[in-house]
Amino acid sequence: MNIILLGPPGVGKGTIASKLSKKMKVPHIATGDMLRENVAQKTDLGAKAKNYMDKGLLVPDELVIEMIKERLKRKDCKKGFILDGFPRTINQADEISNAARVDKVVNLQASDGIIVKRLSRRRVCSQCSFIYHLDFIKPNREGFCDKCSGTLYQREDDKPETVKKRLKVYEKQTEPLIKYYQDKDLLVDVDGSGLPEEVFELVDEAIAA
Ligand code: AP5
């Protein structure tokens, strides 16, 4: 099954995608993680993307589309995949329709208040990218990942000013995808405001329906 997780920054796409990926045994493909890896490894793509990411802006379509098309060609996507953070523009959505079948689009929803609270306390593992929250999904040892002992860091773009910008960018460039996928009869809305386990259950049910 090929699934897209749609929703504003910080709504919980990465958290849910990682759980779904384990349950469904298909890869979790997060364009944000792929771009951050490129930045960390100082690749050409990373150098081009960094400036946009730090400002809370979308990386140009041509860079992201090429990256995702290459990723989807890999063998592990044959059984299905979960896309997190892609598509984010109508152009990206058209491209993915040409490259792969889309079975379901889960639209996670939560208020801006909840989102800001989630992002301000998010910490990410520098080695395995596991996502923590200092109140809701706490690491056992402060500052270190439970899974791999990597150090936890706060993302550059989780600063309050950049979060505001990312929410505006989402509204303008990504929100139109809700209607795009409604028109294709692929969209299912899920309330993302509950606890992680509750949201996961709702997503799981929505996918099975
Ligand atoms: P990206 O990394 O994709 O960021 P995003 O979409 O803004 O989403 P986030 O990763 O911030 O949030 P999330 O919804 O995954 O939430 P999470 O699960 O972490 O993109 C970053 C940048 O890369 C973009 O700004 C852009 O520049 C570029 N980019 C990426 N893709 C692109 C594309 N396709 N085109 C162009 N540019 C692109 O959860 C957030 C926090 O809340 C965590 O601390 C988590 O532990 C906690 N949490 C999650 N669920 C719950 C819950 N139910 N209850 C309590 N806490 C929760």
Side-chain angles (χ1 to χ4, degrees):
M1 200 170 193
N2 301 337
I3 294 165
I4 290 173
L5 286 186
L6 197 65
V11 73
K13 301 181 296 296
T15 303
I16 295 299
S18 128
K19 285 174 188 285
L20 268 185
S21 154
K22 266 196 205 103
K23 180 166 182 195
M24 297 172 70
K25 297 190 174 50
V26 296
H28 166 199
I29 302 173
T31 39
D33 288 348
M34 292 168 81
L35 290 166
R36 278 184 291 278
E37 266 168 44
N38 273 278
V39 172
Q41 288 168 10
K42 299 194 183 343
T43 64
D44 282 354
L45 170 60
K48 285 179 191 150
K50 187 176 185 315
N51 202 17
Y52 296 96
M53 296 171 80
D54 286 350
K55 289 187 184 140
L57 300 172
L58 294 187
V59 173
D61 278 352
E62 62 273 18
L63 298 178
V64 189
I65 289 167
E66 204 41 46
M67 177 181 82
I68 208 79
K69 277 187 171 168
E70 281 308 307
R71 179 64 187 87
L72 292 180
K73 280 184 198 156
R74 275 163 55 182
K75 215 170 150 193
D76 63 343
C77 293
K78 289 232 157 68
K79 282 190 298 176
F81 53 78
I82 298 155
L83 280 182
D84 157 14
F86 188 97
R88 266 167 137 111
T89 62
I90 298 282
N91 188 22
Q92 291 181 16
D94 285 340
E95 289 288 339
I96 191 76
S97 305
N98 295 332
R101 193 190 69 240
V102 174
D103 295 310
K104 212 153 244 185
V105 180
V106 176
N107 179 33
L108 280 179
Q109 300 169 311
S111 68
D112 283 4
I114 288 180
I115 284 170
V116 170
K117 211 164 150 193
R118 287 184 183 171
L119 289 180
S120 63
R121 305 274 286 163
R122 169 164 62 185
R123 297 293 181 272
V124 184
C125 175
S126 54
Q127 281 186 38
C128 71
S129 301
F130 191 84
I131 308 161
Y132 292 89
H133 188 281
L134 297 181
D135 304 311
F136 306 115
I137 306 166
K138 290 187 198 175
N140 293 327
R141 189 158 60 112
E142 205 186 311
F144 295 94
C145 179
D146 296 348
K147 319 262 166 206
C148 71
S149 303
T151 48
L152 304 186
Y153 74 100
Q154 184 165 27
R155 271 171 47 177
E156 249 330 280
D157 59 353
D158 278 351
K159 289 178 191 147
E161 279 316 302
T162 319
V163 167
K164 266 192 217 156
K165 179 77 199 167
R166 286 163 61 203
L167 285 169
K168 283 214 175 98
V169 166
Y170 170 79
E171 220 175 276
K172 192 158 175 234
Q173 293 183 267
T174 308
E175 225 168 45
L177 290 180
I178 294 177
K179 178 154 187 334
Y180 178 98
Y181 283 118
Q182 263 166 354
D183 290 349
K184 290 186 187 287
D185 211 14
L186 290 173
L187 194 96
V188 47
D189 290 323
V190 171
D191 177 7
S193 60
L195 292 170
E197 308 76 54
E198 292 167 352
V199 178
F200 179 68
E201 217 163 287
L202 291 176
V203 171
D204 201 28
E205 280 168 19
I207 287 171

